[in-house]
Amino acid sequence: GREQQPFAPAPVRIGPPPAVVTEGATDLVPDDSTASSIAALLTGRRSSPEIDAVSIVIPTAGFVDGAGTPFVTAAIDAARRGGIARIEILLVVGDEFVGNAEAFIENDVRLVRRPSGSWNFSAAVNLGVLAARHDHVLVLNDDVEAINDGWLATMATPLRDPDIGAVGALLVFPDHTVQHAGMVIDDALPLHCFAGSTLDELRASGGYRPREMAAVTGACLLARRTDLLAVGGLCEELPFNFNDVDLCFKLLRRGQRVLFTPEAMLVHHEGASREPVTHGWEWDRFVHRWGHVIDPWYPPAYIRPDDPGDRRRNADHLLPAAVPDPGKLRTAVLHSAVHEARLRSHEGATVPE
């Protein structure tokens, strides 16, 4: 990352300092005894009881697939296959809903009505969080579907550690290439790392393992309701994009951690229920709020393609140019500096009221 600019805000600590790596260490895989000790430590940290109740917030417009089936039908089925004993599914709907929303009401499904007005994902989620009855809330897109049972219980396990603020899942396209395996920040722009990789490539790159990230996608994000309320929920000034990253940054600023776990995997039909468009003014607002954030978890030894013509490629984790020096430790500190944008292609874009 770039050096911090003069007069930039002081670094904000976002968690405990990184573990110390022994000078000259080359094998970071723990032996059996070390692994047992780590497992015991993690078990001891999970002081909260097992999570057996989750409120699942699904903003939806009721759009249908090629066969005429609403996408949200598969999302509801996924929620029920999550492996949590008690769930409530909150469908947040507005005037744009296609069809009869009341037809989805069942014992475990209820509707939350959104006021008239333009679509705002953040506002819809916040309404669902306020209506939630359980202590843990899953924000879920309506265009996801489950692959295996028990995925939500897998996501819930890390939240028994009070230091964890949010947990994200591995999302794949219908062809099972990666859509989301955590997010990195490159030149102030949030990007999905490993996007388009096969699962075998993800494993070979070291991405198929639970790890801390700067952010995870709001398409499938689990958090405590109290934490969501404490940070003011999702930023409604970011109605379409970057609201999930903004939320994760707020949790990190509270001293909590954001975790990605590949053990919970779902199919995400990205853009199937809403066109995936990112407007320049959204990035402006995001940068105005956070500045140029240097991602402390973006592996510095890995090569970045750094292609200004396709910013998405910047998140690809190519093989390291050289073996990293174990004595050079990364720091778990968010540095925020003044950002000088390289790309501004949004002239004439309309900013919603």
Side-chain angles (χ1 to χ4, degrees):
R2 300 175 182 171
E3 294 182 358
Q4 190 172 6
Q5 300 293 325
F7 312 111
V12 180
R13 175 152 294 281
I14 53 175
V20 175
V21 179
T22 304
E23 182 69 28
T26 57
D27 187 0
L28 300 183
V29 179
D31 58 28
D32 291 342
S33 60
T34 304
S36 299
S37 299
I38 292 174
L41 176 63
L42 292 176
T43 301
R45 286 197 57 80
R46 293 169 183 163
S47 56
S48 302
E50 184 174 342
I51 297 171
D52 64 352
V54 175
S55 297
I56 300 160
V57 176
I58 308 178
T60 181
F63 294 138
V64 300
D65 60 20
T69 303
F71 284 102
V72 71
T73 302
I76 293 172
D77 176 70
R80 290 169 174 162
R81 294 176 58 189
I84 297 295
R86 293 183 295 132
I87 62 170
E88 62 165 356
I89 301 170
L90 306 173
L91 302 184
V92 185
V93 302
D95 295 338
E96 74 284 348
F97 190 88
V98 178
N100 179 20
E102 281 76 11
F104 290 95
I105 297 176
E106 297 187 43
N107 290 337
D108 58 350
V109 180
R110 56 193 179 100
L111 299 183
V112 177
R113 291 286 182 180
R114 194 170 58 78
S116 298
S118 58
W119 171 256
N120 186 317
F121 179 81
S122 297
V125 169
N126 290 342
L127 285 173
V129 172
L130 290 173
R133 296 168 178 165
H134 296 314
D135 294 335
H136 294 81
V137 175
L138 176 77
V139 180
L140 189 67
N141 271 26
D142 66 348
D143 54 359
V144 301
E145 60 178 293
I147 298 175
N148 298 308
D149 296 344
W151 60 271
L152 182 51
T154 298
M155 291 182 68
T157 299
L159 274 183
R160 296 175 64 189
D161 182 341
D163 282 352
I164 301 295
V167 180
L170 171 61
L171 303 181
V172 296
F173 292 110
D175 64 358
H176 283 202
T177 57
V178 174
Q179 189 271 329
H180 170 265
M183 300 176 72
V184 297
I185 312 300
D186 180 83
D187 194 26
L189 185 65
L191 300 169
H192 286 214
C193 55
F194 305 110
S197 300
T198 67
L199 295 179
D200 286 340
E201 291 169 340
L202 184 65
R203 293 184 180 95
S205 301
Y208 197 89
R209 63 182 63 178
R211 63 192 187 281
E212 289 186 44
M213 303 294 296
V216 292
T217 180
C220 184
L221 184 152
L222 181 65
R224 299 177 192 83
R225 184 174 183 271
T226 52
D227 291 338
L228 294 174
L229 295 176
V231 299
L234 272 64
C235 175
E236 297 184 12
E237 293 182 358
L238 298 169
F240 309 120
N241 298 287
F242 306 135
N243 39 50
D244 44 11
V245 183
D246 182 88
L247 171 66
C248 291
F249 281 6
K250 290 188 290 187
L251 293 170
L252 292 170
R253 189 174 57 185
R254 296 184 78 220
Q256 295 177 293
R257 295 146 59 199
V258 174
L259 185 71
F260 160 76
T261 175
E263 297 168 348
M265 182 168 65
L266 301 96
V267 172
H268 184 200
H269 300 268
E270 185 184 29
S273 60
R274 191 165 299 276
E275 187 177 2
V277 175
T278 301
H279 302 283
W281 57 263
E282 296 177 283
W283 189 34
D284 282 345
R285 289 184 181 179
F286 175 75
V287 172
H288 179 73
R289 287 173 63 83
W290 294 100
H292 175 203
V293 171
I294 300 172
D295 186 344
W297 290 285
Y298 199 0
Y302 280 61
I303 303 170
R304 307 186 195 190
D306 196 23
D307 182 354
D310 186 356
R311 296 294 297 278
R312 294 171 299 179
R313 292 191 66 240
N314 290 19
D316 291 344
H317 288 195
L318 306 181
L319 293 177
V323 177
D325 181 355
K328 295 180 179 179
L329 300 178
R330 284 181 289 160
T331 175
V333 174
L334 273 185
H335 294 278
S336 182
V338 176
H339 178 253
E340 298 178 5
R342 292 187 302 180
L343 297 178
R344 294 296 174 93
S345 58
H346 57 274
E347 288 80 2
T350 301
V351 178
E353 299 295 332

